[in-house]
Amino acid sequence: MERREEQPGAAGAGAAPALDFTVENVEKALHQLYYDPNIENKNLAQKWLMQAQVSPQAWHFSWQLLQPDKVPEIQYFGASALHIKISRYWSDIPTDQYESLKAQLFTQITHFASGSKIVLTRLCVALASLALSMMPDAWPCAVADMVRLFQAEDSPVDGQGRCLALLELLTVLPEEFQTSRLPQYRKGLVRASLAVECGAVFPLLEQLLQQPSSPSCVRQKVLKCFSSWVQLEVPLQDCEALIQAAFAALQDSELFDSSVEAIVNAISQPDAQRYVNTLLKLIPLVLGLQDQLRQAVQNGDMETSHGICRIAVALGENHSRALLDQVEHWQSFLALVNMIMFCTGIPGHYPVNETTSSLTLTFWYTLQDDILSFEAEKQAVYQQVYRPVYFQLVDVLLHKAQFPSDEEYGFWSSDEKEQFRIYRVDISDTLMYVYEMLGAELLSNLYDKLGRLLTSSEEPYSWQHTEALLYGFQSIAETIDVNYSDVVPGLIGLIPRISISNVQLADTVMFTIGALSEWLADHPVMINSVLPLVLHALGNPELSVSSVSTLKKICRECKYDLPPYAANIVAVSQDVLMKQIHKTSQCMWLMQALGFLLSALQVEEILKNLHSLISPYIQQLEKLAEEIPNPSNKLAIVHILGLLSNLFTTLDVSHHEDEHEGPELRKLPVPQGPNPVVVVLQQVFQLIQKVLSKWLNDAQVVEAVCAIFEKSVKTLLDDFAPMVPQLCEMLGRMYSTIPQASALDLTRQLVHIFAHEPAHFPPIEALFLLVTSITLTLFQQGPRDHPDIVDSFMQLLAQALKRKPDLFLCERLDVKAVFQCAVLALKFPEAPTVKASCGFFAIGGQASRSLMDCFADILFALNKHCFSLLSMWIKEALQPPGFPSARLSPEQKDTFSQQILRERVNKRRVKEMVKEFTLLCRGLHGTDYTADY
C-alpha cells in the first residue's frame, strides 16, 4: 500500500490539483494550522487539509507522515487520514490489498505502542475500521487474531506496552462499530460476529483484572475496554465475572471512576433485564457498598458517594419491574430501594454540599409506574409495602427542598442559586407525581405537619421548615384538582398565622395562594382570608413575580366574586403602578389582572374604574406626543401602549361558555350599550394617531400600536365592529407611509373576523387592495431585505383566500403578480416565510428538510385540483439538465413525476415521495442520514 500512489480515490474530486497533495505541502499546511496567528490562514489550511485527507494521494503521504522523525501533530494527521480513507472509501481499496494494509497497520501500532498515545489511538481506530469492513467473511476471527498477534513474544516492544496497545485496540473496536457507516444489513452481521468474538476478549480481561501483578494503568484500561464491549449488548450472564471484579476494584481509588462506568454500562444495557438471576446476584454486591457510601458521605467525598449512587440507581431504575416480579426476593429489593432513599436524602444542600440526590428522582417515577402497572392483587401487596416508603420519600424531598440559613444562602453564587431553583422544580414535579400513589392522604399528612408546626408553643419553628411544607402543598395544588380536599379550608385558615419574615417564605405563601385560586372560586367566602396578604405583598418589589402572578390568577378564576373588593384592588394596583415598583413584564401582568377584575363589573363601574386607571397614562402620552422623538420617550410610549394592550387583552364584558356555568352563557353581545373597551379606544384614537405620525419610522412603536388593536380585536370579536372603518383607514395610511409586518398582521386579524360581514367588507377590501399593491411594489424593488413583511403578507393572502376568496376577484387586484410574489417567497432561506408561502398555495433546491412536507402539500393540492396542468408543468420543470440537482438521472426524474401524478388520494405517500426525491437530490439516499430525515 505504501507505494500505491495511484490508489483509487473518487473523493478527491473538486480538491486542489493532485500534485499539491505532497508530504511537504501537507506538513506546511499543518504548521500553518497549528502556529499561524492569522485566523483566515488557519481556516484556509484546515479546508485544504480536509481535501488532502480524502484525496487519492492520502494513501501515499499518510504512511510517510507516520515516520519516527515526525512530530506527533504530523503523525496524528497521517493516522487520521488513513482512518478516513478506510472508513469512508472502503470500496476504493482492491481486495488483493486488504492483507498488506492490515499488516502495515499492525506494524505501525507496534511501533507506536511505546510512542505518542494520541497517534496510537488513531491507528487503532483505523485498524478497527478495517476489521469491521472485513468481518466476518474476509477476516473471520479478527479479534482473536489481534489478541494472538499482540501476545507474540518475539515483538520488540515490552510486554506492558503491547498489552496496553492491545487493550486500546480492543476498546476502540466496539466504539468504532457504534459510529460506523456500515449499511444496516452489514451492521447486523458484524454485530453477531463481535458477539461471538467477545469470547476471545472477556477471559483476557478477567485474567488481567484479577492478576495481582497487573499494574494500575493496565487494570484501568481493562475496565474501560469492558465498558466499551458491554454496549454491544453482550448477555449480562457472560459479564458476571467481570462485573464482580469491577465491584472489587471500587475499593481502589485509582480505579474507582472506571469501575463505576463499567458497572453502570453493563447494568444499563436494554437486554440486561432478561437475565433476572444475574440481576438478583448483583443486589447483594450493590448493598455491600453501603459502608463505603456512608464513609464517603461522612468524609465529604462527593465523587465516591456520587459513583456508588449511580450504580444503585442504574440497577433500580433499569430493572425495577423485573426485580419486583421476583416476589420471593421482595426484601432484598426493598433494601436496595432504601439504599436509594439514603442517596435521595444525602446530607447537605444541593448543589453546594452534594450533587448526588438529583440522580435518584427518576427512579421514584419508574418504581411507582411499575407498581401501579401490576394487576390488582399484586398491586395491593406492593402498595402495602411501598406506601410507607413513599411517605418517607415526601419527608426526605421536603427536607432536601429546604433553603439553607440566610447567612449561608448569602454566600451562594447566582449559578448555585439557579441550580437549586431547578432542583426544587424537579422535587415539585416528583411530589406531584407521587400524589397518584398516595392520594388525599398526602395532603392530610402535609396539613397535619404544618398545623403542628404553626400551633406548637414548645419550640420556635424555622421558616425553612414552614416554607418547605407549603412548597409541597403548592406543588400538588398547581396541577392536581384539590377542590374536593377537606384540608384546604384549614390550610387557608393557617396561612394568615404564618409569621412571614423572609422573602423566600413570602414568595411560597403567594404561590400557594395562587395555586388555590380555583378552590377559592368555589369557596368565595374564604377570599377575604388571603386577599389582604396578596395586596400587601404587591407593594414589595422583592415579591413582584409571586404577588402579581397570584393576583392575576385570583382575578381570572374568582372575578365574579370580586366586585366587593374591586375598588381596593384597583386602588392598590394604581398605587404600585404609579410608584413604578414592578418591572415592565409584571406591570403588564398586573394590567391583565385588572382586565379580568373589571370584566365582572357593571359597564358604568368599568368606565369609572377605567377612567381613574388610565387617565394618568393618557395625560402622559399626550405630553409625550408633543415631544421630539428620542430614545427615552420612546421607551415610555412603548410602555404605556403595552399597558393598554395588556388591559384590553383580558377586559371582556361578554360572557363565554364556561365549564362552571352551562352553555346558555355563550359569548353574547353586552346589552348595556357600547363596549367599554371600544369607548376608550374611540376616545384615545386621535391621540394614538398623533403618536404614530411622529413615530412611523420606528417598528417598535408601530408594533405596540398594532398590538393594542390586535389584542382588542381578538378579545372583543364582533363587539369591535364600530372601530373597523377608522382602523382600516389608519392602517392604510400607516402602511402607505412605511410598510411594516405588524400592520399586515393586524389586517389579517380584521380579514379573519370581519371580512365575511357585508357591512364591513368595503373598508376591509379597500385596505386589502392597498396593502397588496404596496407590497407588490416592494417585491419589484427587491424583497430580500424584508423577510418579516413577506412572511406576514403570505399569511394575510392565505387567510384572505380561506376566509373571503371574493377579495381575489376584484379587477384592481393583479392576481398574477400576487402569484409570482408567492413563488418568489418560496425561494427565501427563512423557514417561516417559506412555510407561509406554502400555506398560501396549499390552502386547506436546498430548502430546509423540515419544509419538505409543506412542498409536498402544494404538489398534492395541484395534483388534486389541476391534474392535467400539473402533468404538463412537472414535465417542463424537470426537463432542464442538472435541475433540481446534478445528482439526478433523467430516469429518476421521470420516476418521480410518474409517482406524484399517480397519487391523488394519499397525502402521506406524497410526503414520502418528496422526502425520497429530496434525499436523491442531496446525494443522501441510502446513507445513515436517511434514518434521521
Side-chain angles (χ1 to χ4, degrees):
M1 287 295 294
E2 192 171 347
R3 304 271 173 224
R4 285 187 61 85
E5 293 187 44
E6 300 309 312
Q7 182 67 40
L19 291 174
D20 283 352
F21 297 130
T22 61
V23 175
E24 294 75 19
N25 284 345
V26 169
E27 288 194 43
K28 280 180 192 168
L30 283 165
H31 189 274
Q32 194 170 315
L33 178 67
Y34 286 115
Y35 304 112
D36 194 317
N38 186 312
I39 193 72
E40 283 185 25
N41 290 345
K42 281 181 183 288
N43 290 340
L44 283 170
Q46 187 173 27
K47 195 173 177 184
W48 187 89
L49 286 165
M50 285 168 73
Q51 291 176 323
Q53 278 187 316
V54 298
S55 71
Q57 288 70 39
W59 288 117
H60 176 64
F61 68 64
S62 297
W63 302 109
Q64 291 187 302
L65 295 176
L66 288 167
Q67 296 299 323
D69 60 331
K70 306 293 184 192
V71 294
E73 292 95 326
I74 288 173
Q75 293 171 332
Y76 180 83
F77 182 80
S80 293
L82 282 172
H83 171 240
I84 286 171
K85 295 299 286 184
I86 292 167
S87 62
R88 295 191 195 171
Y89 306 106
W90 178 252
S91 58
D92 294 347
I93 305 172
T95 50
D96 62 353
Q97 294 290 320
Y98 290 175
E99 289 303 319
S100 66
L101 179 55
K102 185 204 304 182
Q104 281 179 288
L105 283 168
F106 268 122
T107 303
Q108 289 293 343
I109 289 171
T110 306
H111 286 161
F112 279 93
S114 52
S116 167
K117 292 291 171 275
I118 59 164
V119 181
L120 172 66
T121 299
R122 288 322 288 168
L123 287 167
C124 287
V125 171
L127 181 56
S129 185
L130 177 123
L132 294 172
S133 297
M134 291 176 70
M135 290 167 74
D137 300 328
W139 194 0
C141 301
V143 178
D145 286 353
M146 291 172 187
V147 173
R148 185 176 46 77
L149 276 163
F150 278 94
Q151 285 181 325
E153 293 296 332
D154 56 354
S155 170
V157 183
D158 68 273
Q160 185 175 314
R162 276 185 288 124
C163 183
L164 288 169
L166 172 60
L167 288 170
E168 182 65 26
L169 178 56
L170 293 176
T171 302
V172 300
L173 185 62
E175 291 169 358
E176 181 67 7
F177 173 76
Q178 303 286 11
T179 58
S180 68
R181 300 178 176 215
L182 294 172
Q184 208 56 43
Y185 78 95
R186 287 266 308 129
K187 252 196 162 163
L189 287 172
V190 174
R191 183 188 287 279
S193 183
L194 286 170
V196 173
E197 293 260 36
C198 81
V201 178
F202 281 17
L204 171 70
L205 299 183
E206 286 168 32
Q207 181 193 342
L208 289 170
L209 200 54
Q210 291 164 349
Q211 210 167 273
S213 60
S214 290
S216 184
C217 60
V218 169
R219 297 171 79 201
Q220 191 157 62
K221 203 73 197 150
V222 167
L223 289 163
K224 286 182 178 172
C225 185
F226 173 49
S227 189
S228 178
W229 274 82
V230 293
Q231 292 180 64
L232 293 174
E233 295 177 26
V234 178
L236 192 64
Q237 63 193 25
D238 296 351
C239 306
E240 253 185 65
L242 275 167
I243 292 175
Q244 288 184 351
F247 268 97
L250 287 168
Q251 304 304 317
D252 184 331
S253 59
E254 286 185 33
L255 303 179
F256 183 82
D257 289 344
S258 302
S259 301
V260 169
E261 212 58 48
I263 294 166
V264 169
N265 283 342
I267 293 173
S268 304
Q269 53 174 309
D271 200 40
Q273 61 194 12
R274 295 200 294 125
Y275 303 95
V276 177
N277 289 333
T278 305
L279 292 173
L280 289 169
K281 289 180 194 172
L282 292 178
I283 293 180
L285 291 174
V286 176
L287 295 175
L289 300 172
Q290 288 181 98
D291 286 344
Q292 190 179 356
L293 173 61
R294 287 196 178 89
Q295 194 67 47
V297 170
Q298 206 172 323
N299 298 337
D301 180 355
M302 286 165 68
E303 284 75 17
T304 300
S305 55
H306 196 83
I308 294 174
C309 173
R310 280 185 65 201
I311 292 171
V313 169
L315 183 57
E317 194 175 305
N318 288 292
H319 306 298
S320 66
R321 176 69 197 223
L323 293 169
L324 284 167
D325 269 329
Q326 312 306 305
V327 181
E328 66 276 19
H329 296 278
W330 69 272
Q331 286 173 304
S332 64
F333 184 61
L334 180 59
L336 176 67
V337 171
N338 285 325
M339 183 178 175
I340 295 173
M341 180 76 79
F342 176 81
C343 295
T344 304
I346 207 159
H349 287 287
Y350 182 95
V352 177
N353 315 112
E354 64 91 6
T355 55
T356 297
S357 56
S358 61
L359 299 178
T360 66
L361 297 181
T362 313
F363 164 75
W364 299 108
Y365 286 77
T366 307
L367 178 62
Q368 178 176 311
D369 284 346
D370 289 336
I371 290 170
L372 297 180
S373 70
F374 284 122
E375 71 280 1
E377 194 179 335
K378 199 170 183 179
Q379 188 183 132
V381 171
Y382 274 130
Q383 284 262 18
Q384 203 174 346
V385 175
Y386 282 100
R387 275 177 71 82
V389 173
Y390 271 86
F391 274 114
Q392 185 192 348
L393 174 67
V394 171
D395 290 344
V396 166
L397 290 175
L398 291 178
H399 181 73
K400 293 297 293 180
Q402 284 188 26
F403 280 88
S405 68
D406 293 339
E407 186 184 0
E408 192 182 336
Y409 193 62
F411 285 111
W412 284 20
S413 68
S414 56
D415 186 47
E416 286 167 341
K417 287 177 180 176
E418 176 59 13
Q419 284 185 58
F420 182 58
R421 185 193 67 79
I422 294 167
Y423 175 68
R424 277 171 51 101
V425 170
D426 291 340
I427 286 178
S428 172
D429 291 343
T430 310
L431 290 170
M432 180 266 291
Y433 205 77
V434 167
Y435 184 83
E436 188 184 351
M437 174 88 124
L438 302 180
E441 197 182 335
L442 172 55
L443 290 176
S444 304
N445 183 288
L446 292 174
Y447 172 66
D448 291 344
K449 285 192 169 82
L450 187 64
R452 283 199 299 274
L453 195 67
L454 295 177
T455 55
S456 167
S457 55
E458 290 174 20
E459 54 182 275
Y461 60 85
S462 73
W463 71 261
Q464 287 93 340
H465 197 174
T466 309
E467 189 278 335
L469 286 167
L470 271 179
Y471 186 68
F473 252 112
Q474 175 209 325
S475 303
I476 295 159
E478 269 179 342
T479 45
I480 307 291
D481 182 4
V482 295
N483 283 6
Y484 304 104
S485 167
D486 55 359
V487 302
V488 176
L491 174 64
I492 295 281
L494 281 176
I495 284 176
R497 299 185 60 157
I498 296 171
S499 171
I500 300 176
S501 54
N502 176 279
V503 170
Q504 284 89 7
L505 176 58
D507 258 337
T508 302
V509 168
M510 285 301 111
F511 286 126
T512 305
I513 295 169
L516 295 171
S517 55
E518 284 186 39
W519 184 91
L520 288 168
D522 287 343
H523 305 83
V525 71
M526 302 299 284
I527 291 173
N528 200 34
S529 301
V530 290
L531 187 59
L533 289 173
V534 179
L535 294 179
H536 178 70
L538 274 183
N540 184 345
E542 290 185 294
L543 303 179
S544 183
V545 172
S546 60
S547 61
V548 174
S549 67
T550 296
L551 181 64
K552 183 180 164 184
K553 283 181 180 176
I554 291 173
C555 289
R556 184 182 64 215
E557 301 300 334
C558 312
K559 62 183 175 186
Y560 296 114
D561 301 297
L562 290 180
Y565 313 103
N568 194 17
I569 295 172
V570 172
V572 172
S573 300
Q574 272 186 281
D575 184 51
V576 298
L577 284 166
M578 285 296 122
K579 287 178 179 171
Q580 298 182 342
I581 285 172
H582 302 290
K583 291 182 179 173
T584 300
S585 53
Q586 277 71 55
C587 292
M588 303 306 158
W589 292 358
L590 191 50
M591 279 303 208
Q592 288 179 23
L594 294 172
F596 286 124
L597 174 73
L598 298 181
S599 300
L601 303 182
Q602 294 298 313
V603 170
E604 309 81 60
E605 282 294 305
I606 295 173
L607 286 168
K608 192 173 110 185
N609 278 292
L610 276 176
H611 180 73
S612 70
L613 184 62
I614 65 177
S615 285
Y617 295 111
I618 301 304
Q619 288 164 14
Q620 199 182 341
L621 198 58
E622 283 171 341
K623 189 176 162 213
L624 291 164
E626 299 295 336
E627 295 176 7
I628 297 165
N630 67 63
S632 71
N633 60 24
K634 171 191 163 173
L635 280 176
I637 288 169
V638 170
H639 181 74
I640 292 168
L641 294 173
L643 292 174
L644 293 176
S645 62
N646 276 278
L647 178 63
F648 298 156
T649 300
T650 54
L651 179 43
D652 185 7
V653 293
S654 34
H655 294 288
H656 293 270
E657 182 177 345
D658 189 276
E659 59 187 37
H660 302 298
E661 304 162 340
E664 69 278 359
L665 287 177
R666 275 190 180 279
K667 188 161 172 54
L668 300 167
V670 184
Q672 306 117 304
N675 189 294
V677 173
V678 174
V679 171
V680 173
L681 283 175
Q682 286 176 327
Q683 287 171 357
V684 298
F685 197 80
Q686 294 300 322
L687 175 58
I688 287 173
Q689 284 188 305
K690 189 174 181 181
V691 170
L692 259 183
S693 66
K694 288 194 174 180
W695 289 92
L696 261 178
N697 288 323
D698 193 290
Q700 218 178 336
V701 175
V702 171
E703 206 171 299
V705 168
C706 290
I708 290 181
F709 294 105
E710 192 175 352
K711 289 179 177 179
S712 303
V713 169
K714 280 182 180 173
T715 308
L716 302 181
L717 302 177
D718 295 340
D719 291 351
F720 189 84
M723 296 287 302
V724 170
Q726 58 198 120
L727 183 56
C728 285
E729 191 184 333
M730 185 184 89
L731 276 172
R733 282 204 302 276
M734 278 167 57
Y735 201 73
S736 301
T737 313
I738 294 178
Q740 296 199 19
S742 50
L744 291 174
D745 294 336
L746 181 49
T747 304
R748 176 163 52 85
Q749 281 295 332
L750 292 173
V751 167
H752 176 64
I753 295 166
F754 295 108
H756 65 285
E757 293 184 15
H760 299 302
F761 184 72
I764 285 176
E765 183 188 40
L767 175 61
F768 178 75
L769 292 171
L770 178 64
V771 298
T772 302
S773 169
I774 293 164
T775 312
L776 291 178
T777 307
L778 199 71
F779 265 91
Q780 288 167 0
Q781 295 163 354
R784 269 304 299 121
D785 295 335
H786 309 284
D788 55 335
I789 291 179
V790 176
D791 184 355
S792 294
F793 183 56
M794 289 300 129
Q795 289 188 54
L796 168 62
L797 293 177
Q799 184 66 262
L801 203 52
K802 194 174 186 179
R803 196 76 176 154
K804 191 69 176 172
D806 294 10
L807 287 166
F808 286 83
L809 301 177
C810 178
E811 291 177 3
R812 286 177 289 155
L813 184 73
D814 189 343
V815 178
K816 282 187 181 177
V818 168
F819 188 89
Q820 286 303 321
C821 289
V823 171
L824 272 177
L826 283 174
K827 299 176 184 175
F828 271 51
E830 290 83 6
T833 308
V834 178
K835 194 170 182 182
S837 313
C838 291
F840 168 64
F841 283 121
I843 285 297
Q846 288 290 328
S848 162
R849 66 186 188 187
S850 61
L851 296 168
M852 289 307 125
D853 283 358
C854 302
F855 291 152
D857 287 344
I858 295 176
L859 288 172
F860 184 75
L862 288 170
N863 201 27
K864 200 169 180 181
H865 303 294
C866 326
F867 174 74
S868 56
L869 288 169
L870 179 64
S871 56
M872 197 163 59
W873 293 338
I874 202 166
K875 191 176 176 184
E876 286 175 14
L878 293 175
Q879 212 166 15
F883 179 83
S885 165
R887 296 185 178 92
L888 293 175
S889 67
E891 292 75 23
Q892 286 171 323
K893 292 200 256 187
D894 194 44
T895 303
F896 175 66
S897 306
Q898 289 172 17
Q899 285 177 329
I900 290 291
L901 293 169
R902 271 201 300 268
E903 190 54 77
R904 301 174 67 189
V905 179
N906 190 330
K907 190 188 280 191
R908 185 182 56 79
R909 280 286 302 123
V910 174
K911 287 182 178 179
E912 286 171 6
M913 292 167 195
V914 169
K915 173 186 159 182
E916 290 288 313
F917 190 63
T918 307
L919 291 168
L920 286 168
C921 288
R922 294 170 181 228
L924 296 171
H925 196 271
T927 67
D928 289 352
Y929 188 71
T930 312
D932 303 324
Y933 204 85

